[in-house]
Amino acid sequence: MEAKENNRNPLSEDMPGLINRDGKPIIELLDEAFAPVQEAEPARRRTIGELYSQKKATDEIGQLRSLSIQFGIPLLAELPIDHMSVDFTRKIPIQYLKKQKIVPLETPDAFLIAVSDPSNFQAVDDLMRIVGRHDAEVVLSSEGTILSAIGHAYDLGRDSAQEFTEIMNGESADSIISEIEETADLLDEASDAPIIKLVNLVLAQAIKDRASDIHIEPYAGSLKIRYRIDGMLYNLLNLPRRIQSSLVSRIKIMAKLNIAEKRLPQDGRIEVRIGDKNVDIRVSVIPTAFGERVVLRLLDKSQALLTLADLGLDATKIKLFDRLIKSPYGIVLVTGPTGSGKTTSLYAALSKINSPEINIITIEDPIEYQIEGIGQIQVNPKIDLTFATGLRSIVRQDPDVILVGEIRDRETAEIAIQSSLTGHLVFSTLHTNDAASAITRLIDMGIEPFLVSSSVIAIVAQRLVRVLCPRCKEAYQPDAESLIDAGIPLSAVNGRQIFQRRGCNACMNTGYRGRTGIFEIMNMDEGVKKLILKTSDSNQINEEAVRNGMSTLVQDGARKVLEGVTTIEEVLRVTRVLNRNSNVVIEDETI
């Protein structure tokens, strides 16, 4: 009798008389489930998941399948979160749900409570009492799926939108600002709850709106906060100038910067977690005439690296680029202005070729994504670890592939070229307008033309264009002048729809949602190499590459317009200076 008592589930004493769909009491089922694995520790209460894991009986999905059959509780691999109600987020702390691994899911069709442990019916009872529903159907799901649903619900149910509206309308701004101004001490001021709340709201709203940067800009009479979304800046808040010091001090403390130093630029870093997203924030503070200006760059580390297809390359360019990045030696350059996605393209290339058989080492400033299996070095000028000095050390590490974040000077360019000529594949970036201009830039740095022609195997130029919102884009008939400017022949429009932006709630009334790339890939064939030995004129080099089959940025943008991906205005915005003459159009047979 004593042994039987020890094998009894210790949690069963606290549970109500719940039954499963087959009418069998849950308590008896729990006793049966605990019997094979319960050790003689009656004083310690452990969950079924802990017991199964300790015995290493099976993996999590295997456990859930077994428990689903045993208790007659449905198992859901994915939870219905698309149309879930988030009213419960105002009543229940997120920490409680995460601790209990439980989430309520009220949809138009049913009210579900998802649990990862079927023995946790006390939490189920408490949850039903709090939300005022007693008709819940209990379902099983994995811990990761439940935690993701919790994060999604609290992201949707966050008060930030309402509170921001109130602040922008001035309804609650005075009360918050007066609370911020109650203390004069800087440390107290920075740790005061209202300013913490304001900073948290700014960060949470930025992540929710897919912002890549937050600009905090002081002016004579106001403090502006702007977000950069899909490459464009949008005003978010206009706050009184007097809270600028408190706001900047709070951000400095989060980034572990010197709050007393207001005369020199400072750089720092913040790591935050919002729901199921881990976000890395780069902080830059500079002094201006009206106070310190702050720019926060947001990097969602939970997002997976893009593949070559995700970048916006068409099938032909993917095939060409795939061949280039598998070359045994040479230099592949990616060019474009700041923020055009060069680093993302290089990461996609490295991920494609990354394998245990090759040694890949990078030197970057900064390291944006950490890739398993690749050695990554962070530039640090304070200790004289520059691209050039780091590259010298890398070549002694027996690398097969080297990534240099940027070629900024002659020394780095020379070492990169020497590395490529001695059997290494080198990736790097340059800030030039197009592919042909990269040749001119290298020669201008002092690199001999014959070294450029013998080491560089390809140059990729790219821009980012905003993608039309699929919910609200509308077809229209553009005028002939716009088509000519975009390099689209009138004959190519026959039978095709061209779209323009409109704006809806899904895209924040911008008409765009997300971005994609437009590319030109200049393959260094014999004709281009011979021309480089004669001249460094980028116009002549570009014309030669086009004659040999290169598709320009303008042409690639025109194709995406005809495919309904983006608008003529977007293509012209990023390529207008590159349209060397309006006679360059895409050929009908290549569309």
Side-chain angles (χ1 to χ4, degrees):
M1 182 69 181
E2 184 177 350
K4 184 177 180 181
E5 289 298 324
N6 285 341
N7 284 335
R8 185 174 180 81
N9 169 25
L11 295 178
S12 64
E13 298 172 4
D14 298 332
M15 289 189 299
L18 296 175
I19 60 174
N20 75 344
R21 285 178 167 180
D22 300 326
K24 192 167 185 179
I26 294 292
I27 290 178
E28 293 182 15
L29 293 169
L30 289 172
D31 290 340
E32 295 171 9
F34 266 70
V37 291
Q38 175 70 47
E39 294 180 352
E41 295 182 27
R44 180 166 182 260
R45 298 190 172 195
R46 292 175 295 164
T47 67
I48 286 181
E50 289 178 318
L51 292 167
Y52 269 86
S53 297
Q54 186 176 15
K55 293 294 183 181
K56 297 180 180 179
T58 181
D59 59 12
E60 184 181 14
I61 299 300
Q63 292 177 30
L64 293 174
R65 288 198 187 102
S66 175
L67 296 173
S68 173
I69 295 171
Q70 194 164 13
F71 297 123
I73 299 175
L75 171 61
L76 299 183
E78 295 183 1
L79 296 175
I81 62 174
D82 291 339
H83 303 289
M84 67 185 295
S85 171
V86 294
D87 293 340
F88 69 88
T89 60
R90 301 180 183 275
K91 303 176 183 177
I92 309 170
I94 188 173
Q95 294 84 359
Y96 173 79
L97 296 182
K98 284 187 172 183
K99 181 180 179 181
Q100 300 294 338
K101 307 293 190 303
I102 183 173
V103 62
L105 298 161
E106 184 175 0
T107 68
D109 302 322
F111 180 67
L112 309 176
I113 293 181
V115 297
S116 62
D117 183 356
S119 68
N120 196 12
F121 275 94
Q122 183 63 53
V124 173
D125 270 1
D126 293 340
L127 194 58
M128 286 194 292
R129 185 170 57 255
I130 292 172
V131 299
R133 295 287 297 268
H134 300 284
D135 57 343
E137 179 182 355
V138 179
V139 297
L140 284 177
S141 193
S142 67
E143 288 189 6
T145 304
I146 290 173
L147 291 175
S148 179
I150 293 171
H152 178 74
Y154 280 83
D155 186 38
L156 292 176
R158 195 180 305 278
D159 289 336
S160 55
Q162 179 182 348
E163 294 188 39
F164 267 109
T165 302
E166 292 177 356
I167 291 174
M168 286 187 281
N169 292 336
E171 296 173 10
S172 64
D174 291 339
S175 60
I176 292 179
I177 292 164
S178 63
E179 288 184 67
I180 292 172
E181 293 176 336
E182 282 178 2
T183 176
D185 183 75
L186 190 62
L187 285 173
D188 291 342
E189 195 175 19
S191 60
D192 195 30
I195 198 67
I196 293 174
K197 182 178 181 181
L198 180 60
V199 172
N200 290 346
L201 286 174
V202 169
L203 293 177
Q205 190 72 21
I207 294 168
K208 187 174 181 179
D209 291 340
R210 305 175 295 106
S212 61
D213 300 86
I214 304 172
H215 291 242
I216 301 173
E217 306 165 346
Y219 295 98
S222 65
L223 179 68
K224 285 187 178 181
I225 298 181
R226 299 194 289 172
Y227 287 171
R228 186 178 295 279
I229 303 172
D230 293 335
M232 306 296 287
L233 281 170
Y234 299 94
N235 284 329
L236 177 73
L237 290 173
N238 281 318
L239 299 173
R241 166 79 190 287
R242 57 186 185 273
I243 72 167
Q244 183 259 346
S245 177
S246 305
L247 189 63
V248 174
S249 296
R250 171 60 186 164
I251 293 171
K252 282 184 174 181
I253 288 173
M254 294 176 70
K256 298 179 176 60
L257 299 177
N258 184 358
I259 62 173
E261 179 57 74
K262 299 186 178 183
R263 301 168 299 171
L264 295 174
Q266 296 187 69
D267 294 316
R269 184 174 178 175
I270 304 170
E271 289 190 8
V272 298
R273 180 180 178 86
I274 296 183
D276 58 348
K277 294 182 180 179
N278 289 314
V279 182
D280 190 17
I281 304 174
R282 308 287 164 80
V283 182
S284 174
V285 184
I286 61 170
T288 67
F290 299 108
E292 291 177 291
R293 189 181 192 276
V294 183
V295 174
L296 309 173
R297 170 152 288 188
L298 311 178
L299 183 66
D300 187 354
K301 296 194 294 185
S302 61
Q303 288 185 346
L305 289 174
L306 298 179
T307 64
L308 295 181
D310 295 331
L311 297 176
L313 291 162
D314 60 35
T316 303
K317 288 188 172 68
I318 289 177
K319 186 176 180 180
L320 173 59
F321 196 49
D322 189 58
R323 178 174 60 82
L324 291 170
I325 63 178
K326 291 179 180 177
S327 302
Y329 55 84
I331 298 179
V332 176
L333 293 173
V334 180
T335 73
T338 302
S340 59
K342 300 186 297 296
T343 304
T344 301
S345 296
L346 289 177
Y347 276 132
L350 290 183
S351 299
K352 176 73 174 179
I353 63 175
N354 186 19
S355 69
E357 290 79 25
I358 62 174
N359 181 22
I360 304 175
I361 303 180
T362 75
I363 179 162
E364 308 169 59
D365 184 24
I367 297 174
E368 304 245 353
Y369 292 95
Q370 295 177 348
I371 307 175
E372 185 71 26
I374 294 179
Q376 297 173 270
I377 302 171
Q378 169 70 55
V379 166
N380 190 349
K382 294 180 181 178
I383 57 173
D384 197 32
L385 178 55
T386 62
F387 283 117
T389 57
L391 189 51
R392 283 199 187 91
S393 301
I394 286 175
V395 295
R396 294 192 287 270
Q397 288 280 316
D398 185 33
D400 298 295
V401 178
I402 301 170
L403 184 146
V404 184
E406 183 184 347
I407 294 179
R408 296 176 178 172
D409 50 42
R410 177 177 178 176
E411 185 180 12
T412 307
E414 287 178 340
I415 301 171
I417 287 174
Q418 290 169 8
S419 301
S420 69
L421 294 175
T422 53
H424 303 93
L425 179 60
V426 180
F427 295 101
S428 191
T429 68
L430 273 176
H431 286 107
T432 60
N433 287 330
D434 59 2
S437 299
I439 302 296
T440 307
R441 177 74 184 278
L442 289 173
I443 295 175
D444 187 55
M445 283 183 181
I447 306 300
E448 293 292 339
F450 73 90
L451 288 175
V452 175
S453 63
S454 58
S455 60
V456 178
I457 59 174
I459 302 172
V460 181
Q462 68 179 74
R463 296 289 189 278
L464 291 178
V465 294
R466 290 180 290 174
V467 175
L468 278 164
C469 175
R471 292 192 181 182
C472 64
K473 67 179 182 180
E474 60 182 11
Y476 81 114
Q477 181 60 48
D479 57 76
E481 184 179 354
S482 298
L483 291 172
I484 293 172
D485 285 344
I488 302 175
L490 296 177
S491 58
V493 184
N494 294 333
R496 292 176 179 267
Q497 284 188 322
I498 293 182
F499 294 89
Q500 64 182 355
R501 63 173 180 158
R502 186 176 179 182
C504 64
N505 292 333
C507 59
M508 298 174 58
N509 291 314
T510 64
Y512 300 101
R513 185 172 179 84
R515 289 188 291 177
T516 189
I518 58 174
F519 299 85
E520 67 180 27
I521 302 178
M522 187 171 76
N523 193 16
M524 299 288 284
D525 53 33
E526 289 304 317
V528 174
K529 288 182 178 181
K530 290 179 181 178
L531 185 60
I532 291 172
L533 297 177
K534 298 177 182 179
T535 180
S536 61
D537 187 335
S538 62
N539 287 321
Q540 293 185 37
I541 296 172
N542 183 77
E543 290 172 3
E544 177 65 23
V546 170
R547 278 195 296 270
N548 293 338
M550 182 184 78
S551 173
T552 67
L553 285 167
V554 177
Q555 292 171 330
D556 196 34
R559 287 190 181 89
K560 286 185 168 58
V561 169
L562 293 173
E563 291 168 0
V565 175
T566 189
T567 63
I568 291 175
E569 290 76 19
E570 269 298 286
V571 174
L572 293 178
R573 180 177 67 85
V574 300
T575 65
R576 192 180 294 274
V577 296
L578 301 174
N579 202 352
R580 290 181 168 87
N581 63 76
S582 59
N583 296 323
V584 178
V585 297
I586 54 178
E587 299 296 333
D588 291 350
E589 60 266 22
T590 63
I591 297 172

